[in-house]
Amino acid sequence: MNQEPERSDPHVPYFFLSYAHTPPRASDGPDPDMWVRRLYQDLCEHVLMLTDLPEGESAGFMDRAMRVGEDWSARLSTALATCRVFVPLYSPRYFVSDHCGREWRAFALRQTQNRTTQDSAPPAIVPALWTPVPAERLPSPAKSLQHDHERFGPHYASGGLYSLMKLRRYRAEYEHAVLMLARSIVTTAHDNPVPRGEPLDLADLPNAFGPPPVLRRVRIVVAAPSSDALPPGRSARCYGPSPVDWNPYRESDTDTDAGRPLADFAAEQVRGLDYLTTVEPLEEAVGGLLAEAHPSAPTVMLLDRWAVADPEQRELLTRVDAAAQPWVVVIVPWDHADPDNGSSGAELQAALEKTLPRTLQRGRSVSRAATGGVPSLSAFADILPTVIQWAAAQFLRYVSPVYPPAGPHVPRPRLRGPAPEQGSAQETPDDPRG
C-alpha cells in the first residue's frame, strides 16, 4: 500500500523523534535533554529546507515541545498515528526504556496493519545514533533494520551525535551527519509512505524490545476529598466522584483540560520517566503505606490541604506519618487563585503540620516548594521528577533486596598471621576476625 496520508492538518509531524528521557538532577537545574532538543531543532530546520512543507505545518514531533497542560498521551498517540517517519534515537538508555519500546510498537503496528501481503517495503524507520550501543544489546526489531551508520561519517559511527555535538572540533562532522539524517528522513518518507493509523493507547501496547530488565514502579496516592464529602467552606469546583478526580489548578490554569485530574497529568509525567505507575485514593492505598505492610513501590502523595479538615482522612494521614516510611514523599498543590483558599490557607497548613510533621520535614529536605504549596501546574511539572527520583532512591536503599551473584558458593577467606618458621611446631592461631 503506497497511498500517502493526507497533509491537511498543520499539526501532523513529518517525523517523530523517539528518545529516552534523562532523569533530571534537580528541579531547578538545566534540562538534561537540552542536547536532544537542539538536535531536534536542527533536524526540523533541514527537513523544512528539503521539502515543500506548507507554512505552519510541523516538520517534527518530540514530546518536550508540548506545553504543560496539553493532553500528553493523546498528542503523542496522534503523532505516532500520523507521522511519515519514525526516528528512534539509539542509546543504551533507549533500549531499556519501556516507554520507547511502546512508541516503537505503535508505529510498527501502524505500518503492519496497512501492508498488503505483496508489499515488502522496508519500515519507515530511520535510526539515529545518539551514543554507541553494542550490537549484542540491540533488540531484534533494531537488528532487523538495514542501516549503515558509517555513511554518516566515521566519528558519527564510533561516537554518535552526542559526541559530535559536545566536541567543538567535530562541529563540521555534526552538521554533515544531521544533514544526511534529514535527507534520509525525507527520502524514506517519499519512497515508503505510510497511511494514517488510529491513535493507540501506549499503556495497552507491549514493549517492542521485550520486558524491561528492571521493572520500575511508582505509586501515586491522592489524599483529597470527593465531591460528595467536602468540608465546610469548600466548593465542588475542583472535585469529582472520587478523590483521584481532584484538579486543584482548575481556577487559574487555562491550558489545563477542565475535566482533567492532576493525578492523570502526574501519571503521564511518571510514564515519561520510564516508570510504571498506579493511581489510588488514600483510603485504598493506606495499607501499603504503613510500616507493617510490605511496600510495593516508592510513593508520591498528592495532598490537598482541605483533606485534613475531614476527620477520617486526617486519621489516615496521622497513621501514615507515624509509619515514617522514607520512600513516601508528599507534594502539596495550592492554587492561590482559588477563592476558597485565600482565607483558609494558614489554618489548613497549621493542621497539616500537626498531622504530618515527620513526612513534611522529610519532604522539605527534598524540595521545600513541594511541601509549601505548589502554585501552578508548570511548577508541579518542574518539581515532580526530582521528587520521584528521590523517592525511588530511598526505596532502593531501604526496601529492595540485594542478592549475591549466581554461581557456586565460595568460602569466605580467613586471615592468618605470618607463617611459622620452618621447623617450628608452633602454629599461628586463626585471626578472630576471620
Side-chain angles (χ1 to χ4, degrees):
M1 184 176 294
N2 57 9
Q3 183 180 0
E4 191 171 346
E6 297 179 4
R7 309 302 299 170
S8 58
D9 185 353
H11 298 295
V12 169
Y14 204 92
F15 69 92
F16 182 106
L17 183 64
S18 175
Y19 70 102
H21 293 258
T22 302
R25 294 184 178 181
S27 60
D28 57 351
D31 180 3
D33 293 315
M34 60 177 293
W35 298 102
V36 177
R37 190 171 68 250
R38 185 172 300 178
L39 167 66
Y40 168 77
Q41 293 167 347
D42 291 341
L43 272 177
C44 286
E45 180 180 335
H46 286 313
V47 169
L48 284 172
M49 293 296 105
L50 295 171
T51 63
D52 60 350
L53 288 176
E55 182 180 356
E57 186 165 342
S58 301
F61 176 93
M62 68 175 291
D63 56 9
R64 290 294 271 248
M66 293 187 296
R67 295 183 302 169
V68 169
E70 284 188 287
D71 190 341
W72 178 80
S73 59
R75 285 280 289 116
L76 189 146
S77 298
T78 299
L80 284 167
T82 56
C83 65
R84 296 190 183 197
V85 178
F86 182 76
V87 181
L89 197 56
Y90 283 13
S91 69
R93 188 185 299 274
Y94 185 84
F95 292 110
V96 299
S97 167
D98 182 70
H99 187 79
C100 293
R102 293 170 191 262
E103 290 179 347
W104 188 305
R105 175 76 70 177
F107 187 83
L109 283 174
R110 173 185 158 196
Q111 181 153 299
T112 301
Q113 291 169 354
N114 289 285
R115 178 178 292 174
T116 66
T117 55
Q118 293 80 24
D119 186 5
S120 59
I125 300 177
V126 177
L129 187 62
W130 185 241
T131 53
V133 182
E136 62 273 13
R137 293 185 62 180
L138 291 175
S140 56
K143 289 181 179 178
S144 64
L145 290 178
Q146 300 293 325
H147 192 78
D148 181 13
H149 293 303
E150 290 287 347
R151 68 190 183 94
F152 287 2
H155 289 112
Y156 169 87
S158 62
L161 287 163
Y162 179 72
S163 294
L164 299 185
M165 296 178 81
K166 295 291 286 184
L167 298 176
R168 187 173 301 176
R169 65 179 180 272
Y170 292 141
R171 181 65 190 178
E173 294 183 54
Y174 167 76
E175 297 287 357
H176 170 77
V178 175
L179 179 57
M180 291 290 290
L181 180 60
R183 287 176 177 171
S184 184
I185 291 170
V186 173
T187 300
T188 300
H190 180 269
D191 294 346
N192 187 22
V194 184
R196 287 176 181 261
E198 291 296 325
L200 302 174
D201 187 346
L202 294 191
D204 295 335
L205 298 179
N207 185 340
F209 310 144
V214 178
L215 190 60
R216 309 201 309 170
R217 296 182 182 275
V218 169
R219 299 177 76 190
I220 297 175
V221 174
V222 181
S226 59
S227 56
D228 59 354
L230 293 170
R234 187 56 168 148
S235 68
R237 288 186 301 269
C238 299
Y239 301 94
S242 168
V244 301
D245 298 319
W246 174 47
N247 180 3
Y249 301 117
R250 181 170 296 176
E251 294 293 328
S252 61
D253 228 310
T254 57
D255 289 333
T256 307
D257 182 357
R260 192 176 187 210
L262 180 65
D264 285 357
F265 176 81
E268 291 173 354
Q269 299 294 308
V270 171
R271 287 191 288 267
L273 294 171
D274 292 318
Y275 287 90
L276 302 180
T277 188
T278 57
V279 176
E280 305 165 86
L282 175 62
E283 293 85 347
E284 297 178 10
V286 68
L289 303 180
L290 302 180
E292 63 267 19
H294 182 70
S296 60
T299 300
V300 176
M301 183 186 298
L302 310 182
L303 176 59
D304 183 5
R305 286 176 180 167
W306 287 94
V308 298
D310 180 345
E312 292 185 4
Q313 292 219 48
R314 187 168 62 247
E315 191 271 335
L316 292 178
L317 290 169
T318 300
R319 292 171 60 194
V320 170
D321 190 70
Q325 297 201 35
W327 50 89
V328 177
V329 188
V330 168
I331 301 179
V332 184
W334 189 253
D335 182 8
H336 296 283
D338 190 320
D340 295 346
N341 291 343
S343 59
S344 303
E347 181 181 352
L348 291 173
Q349 181 62 28
L352 186 60
E353 295 286 347
K354 293 180 180 179
T355 305
L356 289 171
R358 297 180 183 177
T359 306
L360 293 178
Q361 183 179 7
R362 185 170 61 246
R364 291 188 184 103
S365 68
V366 184
S367 170
R368 284 191 169 271
T371 58
V374 182
S376 66
L377 187 65
S378 58
F380 177 86
D382 288 340
I383 289 169
L384 185 61
T386 299
V387 170
I388 290 170
Q389 297 298 331
W390 190 88
Q394 296 301 305
F395 187 80
L396 289 174
R397 179 181 178 185
Y398 288 99
V399 177
S400 295
V402 178
Y403 298 102
H409 172 70
V410 179
R412 183 179 178 184
R414 305 183 70 188
L415 301 177
R416 297 179 180 273
E421 297 181 6
Q422 191 166 355
S424 172
Q426 184 180 5
E427 294 185 2
T428 304
D430 291 345
D431 190 315
R433 294 169 298 174

